[in-house]
Amino acid sequence: MAKAFASQGDMTEKKITFDKVGEGLYAFTAEGDPNSGVIIGDDSVMIVEAQATPRLAAKVIECVRTVTDKPISHVVLTHYHAVRVLGASAYGADQIIMGETARAMVVERGQEDWDSEFQRFPRLFEGHESIPGLTYPTTTFSDDMTVYLGKRRVDLMHLGRAHTAGDIVVHVPDENVMFTGDIVEDHSACYCGDGHFADWGLTLDNIASFDLDAIAPGRGGALIGKEAVARAINSTRDFVDSTYAPAARVAARGGSLKEAWDAVREACDPKFKDYAIYEHCLPFNVARAYDEARGIDTPRVWTAERDLAMWADLQG
């Protein structure tokens, strides 16, 4: 391997922000690290995204305790990735909720994803010894589900494939705020290594149809106001399209993965090179775009060994 993944050298602790995105609604963000969301109901709290470890989850809980002393009753996980789910035990919630497809992906590839992400993100997995094991939900659903936190209604929905096959979003109708997971990012690269490029834009259309007042995205800052929401949806769409189209052209003429890498860099570097985690995501994004363009609908399972083999190919 000519050099390490960009994320392996990123050991600088990120500045945490805790922004109000609606009444009783907060976004926990950290300069491009995975975000979490907080929904305060009448008697209890729902967390959206658990973080990678109990150590990081404790930082979310610390922020929650600055605004409420209500118990945390629910943890909602928008998809199966290790950096999102392995901190769930820290919250002591009675209910851990995932979409049914996301749970199936934990069963199918959860351990491989954990092993892969563990080597990619050493800083996020500091304190990994406290992770009790893979996170499984107590409750799942197929298309949509409503949870009531007292009188506060929270709608959980699968609006289409995007970042993974099992993505869900969390909508709070009384404030028209959505927690989108990694379907929407802001000034942060989309990780597309397990994505579905052809569907992603349609899923973004479904999100846009809510005419939202705020979004807590998967990574990047809170998006408050319709203008900020529209900008982030459009920039996410541009990122996904700009990644897929060059790789698809290379695949259509029988070109190599390395040629796809060069073509995607040429298209994306001028627009996105200073986005958070851009260099980390790029090799995985190119590999998945190249596969999808060649008709591979189900993303291949990433393992620590496959990561390194792919990276070696791209480095020539």
Side-chain angles (χ1 to χ4, degrees):
M1 186 170 64
K3 60 180 181 178
F5 292 119
S7 56
Q8 290 175 320
D10 180 10
M11 298 303 293
T12 303
E13 200 72 15
K14 306 303 181 185
K15 179 183 177 182
I16 291 170
T17 57
F18 192 62
D19 295 319
K20 188 174 182 179
V21 294
E23 192 59 41
L25 306 173
Y26 295 87
F28 174 99
T29 70
E31 297 185 302
D33 275 1
N35 294 343
S36 289
V38 177
I39 302 171
I40 302 175
D42 292 337
D43 301 309
S44 68
V45 176
M46 174 183 285
I47 302 293
V48 182
E49 313 289 36
Q51 296 285 320
T53 64
R55 178 186 74 89
L56 290 173
K59 296 186 177 186
V60 179
I61 295 168
E62 183 179 344
C63 288
V64 170
R65 292 297 167 234
T66 67
V67 293
T68 183
D69 59 1
K70 295 175 183 177
I72 295 170
S73 57
H74 298 74
V75 173
V76 174
L77 305 170
T78 68
H79 59 286
Y80 76 98
H81 283 153
V83 293
R84 297 293 183 182
V85 308
L86 293 180
S89 62
Y91 297 97
D94 291 334
Q95 292 289 316
I96 299 176
I97 305 174
M98 277 184 180
E100 184 60 41
T101 300
R103 186 193 184 280
M105 296 180 87
V106 174
V107 174
E108 176 198 28
R109 57 182 69 194
Q111 187 61 55
E112 290 84 354
D113 180 70
W114 182 356
D115 294 342
S116 172
E117 293 195 12
F118 182 81
Q119 78 157 356
R120 296 188 221 169
F121 294 107
R123 175 175 53 80
L124 293 182
F125 284 98
E126 290 177 357
H128 63 91
E129 299 85 357
S130 61
I131 300 171
L134 290 172
T135 298
Y136 289 94
T138 60
T139 305
T140 63
F141 64 97
S142 295
D143 296 318
D144 56 74
M145 173 183 179
T146 295
V147 176
Y148 287 93
L149 300 176
K151 294 179 181 178
R152 173 159 253 179
R153 173 174 175 158
V154 183
D155 293 328
L156 283 54
M157 297 169 284
H158 175 65
L159 297 180
R161 302 190 303 182
H163 175 69
T164 72
D167 296 334
I168 64 170
V169 300
V170 181
H171 183 233
V172 184
D174 63 73
E175 290 288 308
N176 198 24
V177 171
M178 187 175 285
F179 301 82
T180 63
D182 286 316
I183 302 173
V184 177
E185 314 285 28
D186 185 45
H187 291 288
S188 179
C190 300
Y191 174 74
C192 311
D194 300 300
H196 295 270
F197 288 92
D199 295 359
W200 205 313
L202 297 174
T203 304
L204 289 172
D205 289 343
N206 289 336
I207 289 172
S209 71
F210 283 80
D211 192 26
L212 297 159
D213 292 311
I215 281 178
R219 295 178 187 262
L223 303 163
I224 301 170
K226 294 183 186 298
E227 183 176 338
V229 166
R231 174 185 56 74
I233 289 174
N234 290 336
S235 67
T236 299
R237 189 191 309 275
D238 186 28
F239 186 95
V240 171
D241 292 347
S242 297
T243 301
Y244 183 68
R249 287 193 291 269
V250 170
R253 61 174 173 77
S256 67
L257 178 62
K258 179 62 167 63
E259 289 175 296
W261 163 264
D262 292 338
V264 173
R265 290 216 75 125
E266 183 178 357
C268 289
D269 282 6
K271 293 190 282 187
F272 307 119
K273 65 182 178 182
D274 41 349
Y275 273 27
I277 70 168
Y278 173 71
E279 290 292 343
H280 160 67
C281 290
L282 194 63
F284 301 94
N285 293 359
V286 173
R288 174 56 193 152
Y290 184 72
D291 275 358
E292 184 172 321
R294 294 183 301 140
I296 301 173
D297 182 66
T298 300
R300 291 188 284 166
V301 177
W302 290 105
T303 65
E305 294 75 21
R306 186 187 167 211
D307 292 356
L308 297 177
M310 175 269 294
W311 189 227
D313 286 344
L314 291 178
Q315 294 302 301

